[in-house]
Amino acid sequence: MTGTDHRQGEPMASDDTALRILSTGDVAGIDIALPDVVSVVEQAYRTLAEGRSANPRKLTVTPEDGHSVAYAMLGRDGERNVVAVKTSYKYGLHEDRDKQHYYTTLTLYDDVTGLPVAMMDCGRVGALRTPAVSALLARELAAPGSRSALVIGTGTQGRLALPFLLTTLPRLDRLMLFGTHPEGIRAARAQLRAHFPDRELEIVSDLRAAAGQADIVLATAGPRTPASVPAEWLRPAALSVLVGYGIAPSTLHRADRVIATSAAQMRVTGTDMADETGELRAVDAEFPDVLAGRAAGRTDPGQRIFAYNSGLVVTDIALGHRFAQLALAQGLGTVVPLWR
């Protein structure tokens, strides 16, 4: 029996007793181009805005002492006709990063044949999906003629941020990076060289000066970062995009316009951006509607815009399904007779 990706037309072989498992190594070995990632993620947003996909609110559990957190996310991609469940579990939140444990999986089902497609490690899917969303936010919301970008942070998101930004905004000609970890800086430089070998990376130490010169500020740092760019450091028409940490709450509250991938998720996960009264600034538009032309993004070239990038499971589903297609074409994965 076979399932089919009804957008791509590639076979998705399976049966009703077996599940294909794609390990971290399997997923890491799949070659996928950055424009392909951006296209898949954009399609997922547009389909959601059209009402053909479903992205319910995530479930979260955490113990009283906060040493771990777990999420469960269910969704359906109406373009690919795929249903999926994503789970994430992180343990040791009070420990250094090298002592923490993190596991995330995505299980996909074909909603036409009713057959399982694959279960995979979702780490790389998330690592690619998030900077692709930031790049789409920048494409749609940056001021006309934007030429400079500042990335704050050199973790997984920071390392891929500039290659994705150049994928959607190839005219950027000043690429700045602020980071405090030499290994992360080296990795970010290597990623840029791998995807855009003709572009130069500028490592900055004066964060205030760099923020004042950037058309786009992308904050991807971890919670322990010393960076915190306030609104008064930004250019009048700057776009600030928050993925992790690195910009202050004033960038949200003093923005002329606020766009979020999901207003509901921002209310849950963006509480560190609340003002002194504990309130968050209201969202002017959600990004899926902006992409679909149902809501306005930037309405004036001189506006200062704040964008909140929180993950939506429909983007994981679409990109995970694309990975499954590529993996099956290469014969990757292990078939387990799970229900036999």
Side-chain angles (χ1 to χ4, degrees), residues 42-56 75-81 286 288-289 291-294 314:
E42 182 171 4
Q43 163 264 310
Y45 274 132
R46 290 182 181 274
T47 308
L48 179 63
E50 293 165 2
R52 296 193 290 122
S53 292
N55 194 99
R76 185 183 189 280
D77 184 321
E79 174 73 10
R80 293 172 175 266
N81 290 309
E286 291 189 314
D289 290 328
L291 269 180
R294 297 170 179 266
V314 289

Side-chain angles (χ1 to χ4, degrees), residues 12 17-18 20 50 118 130 141 144 154 164 180 190 197 217 285 334:
M12 301 292 284
T17 66
R20 183 176 295 268
E50 293 165 2
T130 304
L141 302 176
T154 59
F164 271 103
T180 57
V217 177
T334 302

Side-chain angles (χ1 to χ4, degrees), residues 219 227-231 240 242 245-253 272-273 306:
S228 183
V229 173
S240 56
L242 181 61
Y245 300 85
I247 54 178
S250 60
T251 59
L252 165 65
H253 295 280
D272 57 307
M273 296 296 283
F306 173 93

Side-chain angles (χ1 to χ4, degrees), residues 136-156:
L136 286 167
L137 286 164
R139 187 191 73 187
E140 298 297 318
L141 302 176
S146 292
R147 304 296 292 270
S148 58
L150 166 66
V151 173
I152 301 170
T154 59
T156 300

Side-chain angles (χ1 to χ4, degrees), residues 8-262:
Q8 301 287 347
E10 298 178 17
M12 301 292 284
S14 185
D15 62 42
D16 60 358
T17 66
L19 180 65
R20 183 176 295 268
I21 307 295
L22 299 174
S23 69
T24 302
D26 292 328
V27 178
I30 297 170
D31 186 24
I32 187 167
L34 301 191
D36 191 1
V37 175
V38 171
S39 176
V40 169
V41 170
E42 182 171 4
Q43 163 264 310
Y45 274 132
R46 290 182 181 274
T47 308
L48 179 63
E50 293 165 2
R52 296 193 290 122
S53 292
N55 194 99
R57 183 176 298 183
K58 69 174 67 173
L59 299 176
T60 307
V61 293
T62 187
E64 290 184 2
D65 65 1
H67 73 265
S68 70
V69 63
Y71 302 103
M73 291 150 277
L74 171 69
R76 185 183 189 280
D77 184 321
E79 174 73 10
R80 293 172 175 266
N81 290 309
V82 173
V83 172
V85 180
K86 179 183 177 182
T87 63
S88 296
Y89 171 65
K90 181 175 283 190
Y91 175 87
L93 298 183
H94 301 319
E95 303 287 346
D96 292 335
R97 183 174 297 179
D98 60 350
K99 296 181 180 179
Q100 294 180 355
H101 299 281
Y102 179 58
Y103 309 96
T104 179
T105 62
L106 182 70
T107 307
L108 301 148
Y109 302 90
D110 188 307
D111 200 29
V112 171
T113 66
L115 298 177
V117 175
M119 179 180 185
M120 68 181 67
D121 168 44
C122 201
R124 190 178 177 210
V125 172
L128 291 172
R129 172 262 286 159
T130 304
V133 173
S134 294
L136 286 167
L137 286 164
R139 187 191 73 187
E140 298 297 318
L141 302 176
S146 292
R147 304 296 292 270
S148 58
L150 166 66
V151 173
I152 301 170
T154 59
T156 300
Q157 300 304 323
R159 297 171 190 183
L160 285 167
L162 288 170
F164 271 103
L165 282 175
L166 286 171
T167 300
T168 60
L169 292 172
R171 293 187 179 181
L172 291 176
D173 55 17
R174 188 178 183 192
L175 309 173
M176 296 176 280
L177 177 69
F178 176 86
T180 57
H181 299 285
E183 180 182 347
I185 293 173
R186 286 193 294 271
R189 195 186 297 276
Q191 286 287 351
L192 183 62
R193 187 182 304 116
H195 293 284
F196 293 92
D198 59 329
R199 300 302 186 100
E200 294 294 327
L201 180 61
E202 180 182 346
I203 308 301
V204 299
S205 57
D206 187 337
L207 185 58
R208 179 169 188 162
Q213 297 164 10
D215 297 308
I216 302 164
V217 177
L218 177 53
T220 73
R224 298 183 182 181
T225 181
S228 183
V229 173
E232 56 266 26
W233 290 6
L234 298 175
R235 303 182 73 169
L239 166 67
S240 56
V241 180
L242 181 61
V243 176
Y245 300 85
I247 54 178
S250 60
T251 59
L252 165 65
H253 295 280
R254 292 173 55 182
D256 297 307
R257 195 159 174 79
V258 175
I259 310 296
T261 49
S262 167

